[in-house]
Amino acid sequence: MAKHIQDTTTLHNGVKMPWLGLGVWKVEDGSQVIDSVKSAVQSGYHSIDTAAVYKNEEGVGQGIKECGVPREELFITTKVWNSNQGYETTLQVFDESMKKLGLDYLDLYLIHWPVAGKYKDTWRALEKLYADKKVRAIGVSNFHVHHLEDLLETAEIKPMVNQVEFHPQLAQQELRAFCKKHQIQLEAWSPLAQGKLLDDPTLKAIGQKYGKSTAQVILRWDLQCGVVTIPKSVNAERIATNGDIFDFELTIEDMDKINALNKDERVGPDPDNFDF
């Protein structure tokens, strides 16, 4: 079990991915995202997760340049957006993302959403980028079990990661079991349900027992579920606090209490019903 902020999980191709990263959804390009990246790295984070649609890849790249940690020690993720899916367009926008980030290779490239009729061609492009050693690992985001089953029918390489909405009220049991069986690492976006779980009485009581915040309890639960987590914050103190989850371990009893909060409720769109 993860005992240090830079501890990693090993993906099925042998690449090591940190258990904890910084998400930068809705973080403004320019000084806000640059400072967030630098604050995270100063707090010990080595993983940063962005996406083309966030429109902050340039700032993330600048933060990487200024953070003082060698590039090879960092794990950088970005994603291809829905309107750019397809074989040729994915290869093209990958190059655009790399220019914005100022990087000569990427650690993880993801298909952002399972666009019907497009994601298989998009996946072929990711396989080419992987074969050409431009990306160390490839994966998907927001894929249900049936999307993964469909992709695996034709994929030459199975996804290394599936990044999905995951938190105590959306525990994704069936998807977690499927991903574990197929050695696909699950990763949580919106692990704090966009702040909606921070006042939950069960989680607050567990936090008081360990001298930890509700957010820290949830993020620790993620790790003990075997799920990589990427909380977002622009506040340097909160970024540091979110990373301070490696000095305690939830008991089986407390894990069960958190598991019991599941309602299969989303704060974001359902991957079977999105229109963007």
Side-chain angles (χ1 to χ4, degrees):
M1 182 41 64
K3 295 278 169 67
H4 187 272
I5 196 166
Q6 282 148 28
D7 281 357
T8 55
T9 178
T10 303
L11 305 179
H12 72 67
N13 67 336
V15 165
K16 294 186 182 310
M17 177 181 188
W19 282 107
L20 179 77
L22 176 75
V24 296
W25 179 59
K26 286 193 172 175
V27 181
E28 283 177 29
D29 201 19
S31 60
Q32 189 178 62
V33 79
I34 292 168
D35 290 345
S36 295
V37 169
K38 288 162 69 177
S39 293
V41 174
Q42 282 161 12
S43 295
Y45 292 63
H46 275 186
S47 174
I48 310 293
D49 178 279
T50 185
V53 78
Y54 301 170
K55 301 198 183 315
N56 57 19
E57 288 172 315
E58 287 175 347
V60 168
Q62 193 59 38
I64 291 165
K65 279 195 194 76
E66 295 179 14
C67 75
V69 168
R71 163 68 186 103
E72 60 272 15
E73 291 181 22
L74 300 174
F75 191 97
I76 310 301
T77 302
T78 194
K79 313 172 192 82
V80 54
W81 183 240
N82 303 347
S83 56
N84 295 318
Q85 285 195 39
Y87 184 79
E88 295 295 343
T89 43
T90 295
L91 295 177
Q92 186 184 328
V93 296
F94 173 81
D95 287 340
E96 290 170 13
S97 282
M98 294 303 281
K99 281 195 191 94
K100 287 176 181 171
L101 287 162
L103 302 177
D104 53 10
Y105 72 92
L106 191 67
D107 297 284
L108 179 63
Y109 199 39
L110 303 177
I111 299 177
H112 209 147
W113 288 84
V115 176
K118 290 266 186 89
Y119 62 74
K120 286 193 171 190
D121 285 336
T122 308
W123 187 251
R124 281 197 304 115
L126 266 62
E127 289 178 329
K128 176 170 171 49
L129 293 167
Y130 180 70
D132 292 346
K133 297 193 164 28
K134 293 181 178 181
V135 185
R136 295 175 66 229
I138 52 177
V140 295
S141 184
N142 301 301
F143 274 48
H144 283 322
V145 169
H146 72 88
H147 297 122
L148 291 169
E149 287 174 333
D150 184 46
L151 187 64
L152 291 172
E153 282 176 12
T154 52
E156 290 181 17
I157 303 165
K158 66 184 174 183
M160 287 126 202
V161 172
N162 185 17
Q163 183 187 118
V164 298
E165 182 181 342
F166 176 85
H167 46 72
Q169 290 186 346
L170 184 68
Q172 300 271 27
Q173 281 112 329
E174 184 198 3
L175 184 63
R176 273 159 67 191
F178 182 91
C179 288
K180 189 172 183 182
K181 180 183 172 187
H182 292 274
Q183 296 178 292
I184 300 168
Q185 175 62 54
L186 207 70
E187 180 179 16
W189 64 256
S190 276
L192 308 177
Q194 294 170 23
K196 290 182 179 166
L197 292 174
L198 297 182
D199 291 324
D200 179 89
T202 301
L203 294 170
K204 282 172 94 169
I206 292 171
Q208 284 165 358
K209 174 179 161 183
Y210 294 94
K212 292 288 180 180
S213 70
T214 307
Q216 289 169 322
V217 167
I218 294 170
L219 297 173
R220 185 69 208 182
W221 173 78
D222 288 358
L223 302 190
Q224 290 183 219
C225 287
V227 177
V228 168
T229 191
I230 46 168
K232 169 232 162 178
S233 180
V234 296
N235 177 291
E237 191 179 334
R238 197 165 301 123
I239 288 169
T241 303
N242 286 344
D244 186 19
I245 55 171
F246 295 91
D247 59 350
F248 77 109
E249 196 167 324
L250 297 165
T251 63
I252 292 168
E253 181 190 26
D254 288 330
M255 288 292 288
D256 288 343
K257 283 180 187 168
I258 300 171
N259 293 338
L261 299 174
N262 181 48
K263 299 177 181 176
D264 292 328
E265 275 184 12
R266 298 178 178 277
V267 293
D270 186 329
D272 276 335
N273 182 27
F274 63 96
D275 58 356
F276 43 82

